[in-house]
């Protein structure tokens, strides 16, 4: 009896030892896998640091059987899919202090176009109609992933507009995710579902140490440009851009669809390498570029052309070269060159003759654009200009596709005013009511840009708020009870009064844009 229990204790002890050994081996293998993964991805300094921290314990080992971290994760995903019919969510963004996770995850609902998608069968006669010029569908931005209502959303002026905008359209939008087909969730949906949380995750860039053949100076320039790469999604969706239906469609055709459906864009349809958005200031050119960045998870370089010139006059030529090299390194990439006229005005026409450095930089930009046109690199230049007639013709030829972003139409102006000043919203918990004849106001704002209209709406919303400052100030000096605050309703007359004090910024230039459009519009 004694002998038996001694034997079983020994066996149990040996089993425990074997278990501990396996755990230890597993931990060590994990570190070695991480070490090789870091090296493979070019994170050389991180790999060296890991090796040092483990006293050289990882460098001396190789991984057997072609295992690597990615494969381990893939195996886990397949296992999870077989067991639960959906892919696992591997990571999730940590909430930052004071951040509302629900609001974040609900605020982005978009289809990623980073990966080529298989083409579904579509009967051309069934293709969905493009929406009405100025009507916006905002429903998707007010529901979270499970389709439940999000906490009230604040409008751009801090006004709560969610209660007013949630409509039946929202329900339809909610049902899109996790759609069941014959009782099964399609793999595409499962993949989309699993990826949704990482959609607005900070972008992980390849380390610059893998950027070969660079001198110290070039590496420094690369680091400077890397600061202009969007790491966070700018979170502007197509439906956030009011009106501009033609411009949106053309931008999607030129930039988004070639990335989403590359199989369609070959031969004569091979994608454009350069696109110019032009039109009056404040009409949504930057918004369109941000929507591209949000929709396509390409590496997005947001470059303000004027800052290249002013900050890097001497070095700007090198900076341009490194910019394109970096874009190729991080491909697929989109380079957004804002205020293009400030670097690419017609050569030799700038005041006081042309600076030699700036001439060389322009030439470099042209050379790089030519390089792109000839190559298969997935790098695309999106340029914006308020003054297209000032642009160098050689540059224009390279921006093959040109799209006008014009002043908002009357329905678009109406949609903007009702978006920024809905009948009921709240600011800092205080209700703001408006009684506005949107149609009349939109008619009275001909020639105003989107940005002008936003300013007018802000000023109109400010009027009743201004009137309560006295009450608030006197309250702070006295007792602790918060006075009941009632804001006056903003009326059409108030709004018209604001309009008389704010002049449209670009009305007089519109003829010039249309004349330019007639001459230079590509298609
Ligand atoms: P630009 O054409 O000068 O690049 P932006 O895209 O920067 O203009 O627009 C400036 C601001 O004006 C935007 O942040 C937005 O608030 C407002 N705006 C302009 N056009 C629109 C639009 N079509 N839809 C929604 N907001 C707009």
């Amino acid at each position: 009896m004694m002998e038996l229990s001694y034997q079983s204790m020994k066996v149990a002890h040996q089993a425990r030892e074997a278990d501990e050994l396996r755990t230890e081996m597993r931990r060590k293998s994990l570190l070695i896998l991480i070490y090789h993964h870091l090296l493979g991805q070019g994170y050389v300094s991180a790999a060296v640091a890991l090796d040092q921290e483990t006293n050289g314990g990882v460098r001396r080992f190789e991984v057997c059987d072609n295992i690597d971290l990615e494969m381990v994760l893939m195996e886990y995903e397949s296992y999870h899919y077989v067991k639960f019919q959906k892919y696992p969510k591997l990571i999730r963004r940590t909430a930052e202090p004071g951040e509302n996770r629900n609001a974040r995850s609900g605020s982005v609902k978009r289809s990623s176009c980073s990966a080529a998608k298989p083409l579904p069968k579509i009967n051309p006669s069934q293709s969905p109609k493009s929406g009405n010029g100025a009507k916006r569908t905002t429903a998707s931005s007010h529901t979270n992933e499970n389709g439940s209502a999000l906490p009230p959303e604040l409008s751009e002026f801090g006004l709560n507009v969610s209660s007013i905008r949630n409509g039946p359209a929202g329900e339809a939008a909610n049902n899109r995710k996790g759609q069941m087909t014959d009782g099964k969730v399609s793999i595409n949906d499962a993949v989309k579902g699993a990826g949704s949380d990482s959609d607005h995750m900070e972008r992980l860039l390849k380390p610059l140490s893998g950027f070969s053949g660079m001198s110290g100076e070039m590496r420094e320039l690369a680091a400077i440009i890397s600061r202009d790469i969007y790491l966070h999604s700018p979170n502007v969706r197509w439906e956030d851009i009011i009106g501009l239906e033609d411009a949106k469609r053309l931008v999607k055709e030129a930039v988004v669809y070639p990335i989403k459906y590359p199989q369609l864009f070959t031969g004569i349809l091979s994608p454009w390498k350069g696109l110019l958005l032009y039109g009056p200031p404040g009409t949504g050119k930057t918004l369109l570029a941000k929507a591209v960045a949000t929709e396509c998870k390409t590496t997005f370089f947001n470059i303000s052309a004027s800052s290249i010139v002013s900050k890097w006059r001497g070095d700007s030529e090198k900076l341009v070269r490194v910019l394109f090299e970096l874009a190729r390194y991080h491909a697929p990439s989109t380079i957004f060159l804002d205020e293009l006229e400030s670097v690419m005005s017609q050569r030799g026409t700038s005041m006081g003759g042309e600076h030699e450095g700036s001439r060389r930089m322009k030439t470099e930009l042209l050379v790089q654009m030519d390089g792109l046109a000839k190559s298969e690199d997935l790098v695309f230049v999106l340029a914006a200009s308020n003054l297209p007639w000032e642009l160098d013709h050689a540059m224009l030829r390279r921006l093959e596709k040109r799209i006008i972003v014009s002043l908002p139409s009357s329905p678009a102006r109406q949609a903007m005013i009702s978006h920024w000043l809905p009948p009921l919203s709240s600011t800092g918990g205080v209700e703001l009511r408006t009684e506005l004849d949107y149609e009349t106001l939109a008619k009275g704002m001909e020639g105003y840009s989107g940005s002008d209209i936003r300013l007018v709406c802000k000023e109109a919303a400010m009027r009743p708020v201004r009137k309560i400052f006295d009450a608030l100030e006197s309250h702070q000096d006295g007792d602790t009870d918060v006075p009941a605050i009632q804001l006056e309703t903003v009326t059409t007359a108030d709004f018209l009064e604001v309009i008389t004090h704010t002049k449209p910024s670009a009305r007089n230039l519109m003829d010039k844009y249309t004349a330019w459009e007639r001459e230079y519009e590509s298609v």
Side-chain angles (χ1 to χ4, degrees):
M1 183 71 178
M2 273 297 268
E3 181 63 14
L4 199 64
S5 95
Y6 174 72
Q7 271 302 334
S8 58
M9 270 167 65
K10 200 169 158 196
V11 169
H13 179 70
Q14 279 170 348
R16 206 167 44 243
E17 268 188 352
D19 254 6
E20 277 166 12
L21 204 67
R22 277 226 63 76
T23 309
E24 188 52 38
M25 278 301 290
R26 210 179 294 128
R27 284 188 190 139
K28 185 153 192 176
S29 309
L30 196 56
L31 287 177
I32 292 161
L33 281 173
I34 294 172
Y35 174 75
H36 285 279
H37 179 75
L38 288 173
L39 275 185
Q41 296 289 310
Y43 295 98
V44 182
S45 354
V48 171
L50 178 63
D51 186 50
Q52 279 167 356
E53 279 208 66
T54 52
N55 295 324
V58 288
R59 192 175 4 123
R60 282 174 277 122
F61 291 88
E62 260 182 7
V63 183
C64 313
D65 295 338
N66 288 333
I67 305 176
D68 61 33
L69 267 189
E70 260 176 69
M71 201 182 292
V72 173
L73 285 181
M74 271 161 60
E75 289 281 311
Y76 171 69
E77 282 178 335
S78 323
Y79 156 81
H80 197 281
Y81 190 76
V82 169
K83 195 159 177 202
F84 304 109
Q85 282 75 55
K86 65 175 181 185
Y87 284 96
K89 203 176 246 181
L90 292 177
I91 49 172
R92 118 167 12 123
R93 197 175 184 283
T94 50
E96 281 157 26
E99 183 181 68
N100 180 340
R101 262 197 68 81
N102 274 348
R104 266 196 150 271
S105 59
S107 61
V108 179
K109 189 160 271 199
R110 60 197 162 91
S111 58
S112 132
C113 53
S114 60
K117 297 199 172 169
L119 298 175
K121 280 205 177 112
I122 300 177
N123 173 351
S125 61
Q126 294 170 353
S127 60
K129 275 212 193 99
S130 61
N132 163 349
K135 266 255 177 302
R136 307 175 71 230
T137 320
T138 47
S140 62
S141 47
H142 301 283
T143 47
N144 68 15
E145 281 173 283
N146 307 318
S148 56
L150 281 172
E153 190 194 329
L154 295 178
S155 79
E156 277 191 73
F157 311 144
L159 309 181
N160 170 358
V161 291
S162 61
S163 55
I164 300 141
R165 287 207 222 116
N166 272 337
E171 284 156 35
N174 296 341
N175 289 335
R176 273 176 307 183
K177 187 161 305 156
Q179 259 167 356
M180 304 284 279
T181 337
D182 299 336
K184 287 188 210 115
V185 180
S186 79
I187 291 200
N188 267 347
D189 283 346
V191 172
K192 271 190 237 156
S196 60
D197 212 31
S198 53
D199 275 355
H200 38 89
M201 198 174 64
E202 182 155 315
R203 199 182 170 86
L204 196 60
L205 286 178
K206 281 202 282 178
L208 283 181
S209 47
F211 191 37
S212 58
M214 266 206 316
S215 65
E217 186 197 11
M218 290 302 205
R219 200 181 294 267
E220 210 175 291
L221 292 177
I224 290 165
I225 294 175
S226 299
R227 281 186 226 136
D228 290 329
I229 298 177
Y230 274 156
L231 295 178
H232 290 291
S233 154
N235 198 11
V236 173
R237 285 145 300 144
W238 297 111
E239 57 268 32
D240 292 332
I241 304 174
I242 304 173
L244 298 181
E245 297 308 324
D246 284 344
K248 281 194 254 183
R249 182 177 51 77
L250 290 169
V251 170
K252 283 187 205 170
E253 269 176 27
V255 198
V256 181
Y257 297 152
I259 297 169
K260 208 166 172 179
Y261 308 113
Q263 59 274 59
L264 284 179
F265 291 83
T266 54
I268 184 77
L269 288 180
S270 61
W272 309 101
K273 293 288 180 156
L275 183 150
L276 173 69
L277 297 170
Y278 67 94
T283 43
K285 296 182 287 298
T286 311
L287 280 186
L288 283 165
K290 285 183 177 171
V292 170
T294 307
E295 291 284 324
C296 301
K297 283 186 272 170
T298 56
T299 316
F300 197 89
F301 293 77
N302 185 19
I303 308 289
S304 154
S306 62
S307 78
I308 293 196
V309 188
S310 61
K311 282 197 223 148
W312 304 101
R313 222 159 220 291
D315 274 334
S316 42
E317 171 201 2
K318 283 184 208 148
L319 208 65
V320 168
R321 196 175 323 134
V322 176
L323 166 66
F324 279 77
E325 271 175 34
L326 258 189
R328 275 191 286 270
Y329 177 66
H330 289 301
S333 304
T334 308
I335 301 176
F336 177 51
L337 291 174
D338 204 0
E339 310 169 65
L340 187 66
E341 68 277 353
S342 58
V343 281
M344 274 323 230
S345 55
Q346 294 177 27
R347 285 183 283 183
T349 58
S350 54
M351 276 203 295
E354 206 172 18
H355 187 280
E356 171 62 16
S358 123
R359 205 183 51 76
R360 273 193 277 130
M361 185 197 56
K362 283 181 187 179
T363 312
E364 184 63 42
L365 196 50
L366 295 176
V367 169
Q368 291 295 340
M369 295 278 298
D370 279 346
L372 282 191
K374 288 188 206 118
S375 74
E376 293 287 301
D377 293 328
L378 285 174
V379 176
F380 176 82
V381 173
L382 184 59
S385 173
N386 296 335
L387 305 168
W389 44 84
E390 289 202 352
L391 292 176
D392 185 300
H393 288 272
M395 184 68 191
L396 273 181
R397 274 199 303 279
R398 284 153 179 95
L399 294 168
E400 314 143 290
K401 181 85 183 157
R402 295 159 215 147
I403 299 174
I404 187 163
V405 182
S406 27
L407 291 172
S409 62
S410 182
R413 293 195 297 274
Q414 189 171 331
M416 283 176 184
I417 305 171
S418 62
H419 168 66
W420 285 313
L421 284 183
L424 176 62
S425 51
S426 85
T427 177
V430 181
E431 277 186 356
L432 179 72
R433 289 175 189 278
T434 63
E435 272 173 23
L436 300 173
D437 178 352
Y438 294 119
E439 206 179 325
T440 309
L441 294 178
K443 283 198 183 117
M445 295 197 85
E446 199 186 335
Y448 285 71
S449 69
S451 144
D452 294 335
I453 296 174
R454 189 172 172 276
L455 274 181
V456 170
C457 290
K458 189 171 180 167
E459 184 54 32
M462 193 62 200
R463 292 186 137 213
V465 175
R466 219 171 261 145
K467 289 185 188 159
I468 59 158
F469 283 148
D470 279 348
L472 284 174
E473 290 284 305
S474 57
H475 153 73
Q476 275 173 8
D477 300 331
D479 62 303
T480 49
D481 281 348
V482 180
I485 294 170
Q486 180 94 49
L487 294 181
E488 276 179 23
T489 302
V490 182
T491 64
T492 306
D494 293 333
F495 199 98
L496 287 171
E497 169 80 19
V498 179
I499 295 181
T500 54
H501 297 295
T502 335
K503 291 282 160 255
S505 42
R507 180 163 32 192
N508 301 338
L509 283 177
M510 213 44 225
D511 288 347
K512 220 168 162 181
Y513 289 109
T514 25
W516 197 87
E517 181 189 12
R518 270 198 300 277
E519 202 169 335
Y520 289 98
E521 182 96 321
S522 49
V523 184

